[in-house]
Amino acid sequence: MSHNTFGHLFRVTTFGESHGPALGCVVDGCPPRIPLTEADIQAELDRRRPGQSRFTTQRREPDQVKILSGVFEDDRTGGPVTTGTPIALLIENVDQRSKDYGEIRDKYRPGHADFTYDAKYGVRDYRGGGRSSARETAARVAAGAIARKVVPGLTVRGALVQMGPHKIDRSRWNWNEIANNPFFCPDAEAAAFYETYLDEIRKSGSSVGAVIEVVAENVPVGLGAPVYGKLDADLAAALMSINAVKGVEIGAGFASAELTGEDNADEIRAGNDGAPVFLSNNAGGILGGISTGQPVVARFAVKPTSSILTPRRSVDREGHDVDVMTKGRHDPCVGIRAVPVGEAMVACVIADHFLRHRAQVG
Ligand SMILES: Cc1cc2nc3c(=O)[nH]c(=O)nc-3n(C[C@H](O)[C@H](O)[C@H](O)COP(=O)(O)O)c2cc1C
């Protein structure tokens, strides 16, 4: 009954809790001879790290990654490379404050996994949500840094495209803007607005949701294994497994229901080299569960942070009515830090399907 592993050939197992000594992952099945350093992984972890702006939790976690196994360097390998053996990565928790959570030991926080973990297991690590905490997603980001290197030329980029009810203006989309604001937002004007908007939300002790779009480019044609290993199905499962994600779309997604057949089906013409050129990408780069070679586009909705300062009604373990106000440190919009997590999950799924395609089709 182990459900902490995903992927078939690029296989990721994560472990650890919010307030345990450490968390991490084991990546099994990574091909050998891929250059890999801790710095490669750290660069991705730093994008997800908390406490980098006033808009994310003030928990101070350096999220320093250690490679424990699976990478080797000698004078013939020209730098550290993967060996084809399991790559174990460790990230220590250094800023746990368990006392922040003592009060909710016996109370179920609305919107959290407290009730369901107790109902299912009869025991729960209540310190910061234990295993249900999004601390776990650091391990996914670390695994994603390796996955990105498995597929030659692959780029996976994510962007926050909506905060609360406020959508970006897609005509202003500029990937270079992502690094210029604390929201991973590709629209500079929207980012400036989010700054004021989220400040108000934060100061009032409330929270908002967000929509994140992930775009994977240079995905080879042919990835995805119909009918129960479709690329879109695996992407949806991977993104849905991220904490607080309540919806996933591929390509035009739910908006495709409003389109006519003429508008929706992506027309194809012969390109200069004879290879097909798609004239639009409503399919999000996937047809019949198989990648078309167009950018793979996935979107996911993240619910508002459940931990807010306004008391909410709930019950305790004994079934008494109680009010719960969550103290501790929290993001006013968890969708922000979900951006690198979404990228990592997409990268892991694509790496897995790249290896599966190679195994079956050669
Ligand atoms: C990057 C990230 C950070 C999160 N941080 C918080 C947080 O500070 N406070 C909170 O209430 N929820 C936070 N969450 C969401 C909870 O982990 C999640 O809502 C909870 O475990 C219940 O699971 P579910 O929403 O997937 O059903 C975060 C989610 C992500 C993706």
Side-chain angles (χ1 to χ4, degrees):
M1 295 299 278
S2 66
H3 300 286
N4 291 281
T5 300
F6 69 97
H8 286 249
L9 295 189
F10 187 88
R11 205 161 166 73
V12 179
T13 303
T14 73
F15 61 87
E17 289 88 22
S18 171
H19 284 52
L23 49 92
C25 64
V26 175
V27 177
D28 200 2
C30 181
R33 301 186 304 277
I34 295 178
L36 182 68
T37 63
E38 285 176 355
D40 296 330
I41 302 168
Q42 197 61 52
E44 293 303 325
L45 281 170
D46 286 349
R47 298 175 62 235
R48 179 207 160 278
R49 196 155 51 85
Q52 301 197 81
S53 80
R54 63 182 187 280
F55 302 111
T56 59
T57 172
Q58 295 307 301
R59 179 168 171 170
R60 296 273 161 210
E61 287 292 354
D63 281 352
Q64 281 294 327
V65 69
K66 270 191 210 140
I67 299 179
L68 301 183
S69 66
V71 175
F72 180 67
E73 174 175 16
D74 74 11
D75 50 10
R76 290 161 300 177
T77 53
V81 295
T82 59
T83 58
T85 61
I87 304 170
L89 305 176
L90 191 78
I91 301 162
E92 285 178 33
N93 288 323
V94 299
D95 190 21
Q96 310 98 314
R97 286 195 210 158
S98 298
K99 62 179 174 353
D100 278 348
Y101 299 96
E103 202 183 306
I104 48 103
R105 193 185 65 174
D106 300 314
K107 296 176 180 173
Y108 298 138
R109 295 166 302 166
H112 278 276
D114 302 348
F115 165 68
T116 47
Y117 269 55
D118 245 357
K120 183 177 175 71
Y121 300 112
V123 59
R124 125 184 110 91
D125 178 350
Y126 53 81
R127 302 164 308 162
R131 179 72 179 156
S132 74
S133 160
R135 280 292 295 145
E136 184 271 341
T137 61
R140 303 173 185 228
V141 171
I146 303 174
R148 287 172 192 268
K149 292 173 154 256
V150 169
V151 186
L154 175 72
T155 59
V156 182
R157 295 184 288 188
L160 186 145
V161 296
Q162 181 175 338
M163 187 185 288
H166 307 289
K167 295 182 182 175
I168 64 158
D169 179 341
R170 297 183 73 91
S171 70
R172 289 197 294 253
W173 189 300
N174 177 356
W175 281 112
N176 296 328
E177 285 300 329
I178 302 278
N180 294 339
N181 62 72
F183 309 112
F184 299 103
C185 179
D187 170 0
E189 278 184 43
F193 170 78
Y194 292 159
E195 195 134 352
T196 328
Y197 172 65
L198 199 54
D199 254 338
E200 279 168 23
I201 299 279
R202 184 177 63 84
K203 286 179 189 156
S204 68
S206 187
S207 65
V208 282
V211 177
I212 286 89
E213 185 163 316
V214 181
V215 181
E217 284 162 299
N218 300 321
V219 178
V221 183
L223 308 196
V227 288
Y228 296 116
K230 291 182 176 180
L231 187 59
D232 38 4
D234 283 356
L235 285 170
L239 292 171
M240 203 60 153
S241 77
I242 300 171
N243 309 44
V245 171
K246 298 307 284 183
V248 178
E249 294 184 328
I250 306 291
F254 274 73
S256 62
E258 296 169 23
L259 300 177
T260 59
E262 292 86 336
D263 292 335
N264 180 63
D266 304 314
E267 293 184 281
I268 315 174
R269 304 305 291 164
N272 290 339
D273 57 358
V277 173
F278 290 84
L279 306 185
S280 54
N281 190 15
N282 290 312
I286 303 169
L287 288 171
I290 301 174
S291 59
T292 62
Q294 285 199 289
V296 169
V297 181
R299 227 168 286 106
F300 58 98
V302 179
K303 73 187 193 185
T305 320
S306 300
S307 297
I308 48 173
L309 292 180
T310 314
R312 300 279 84 193
R313 286 172 295 178
S314 186
V315 292
D316 65 14
R317 289 194 92 191
E318 275 71 50
H320 305 117
D321 285 348
V322 291
D323 279 351
V324 182
M325 187 186 89
T326 321
K327 295 184 197 131
R329 297 154 292 173
H330 303 284
D331 302 51
C333 175
V334 293
I336 301 171
R337 292 201 299 129
V339 176
V341 183
E343 291 177 8
M345 294 309 281
V346 168
C348 287
V349 169
I350 291 174
D352 185 39
H353 273 285
F354 176 77
L355 298 178
R356 284 156 73 175
H357 178 66
R358 199 165 73 181
Q360 187 189 16
V361 186

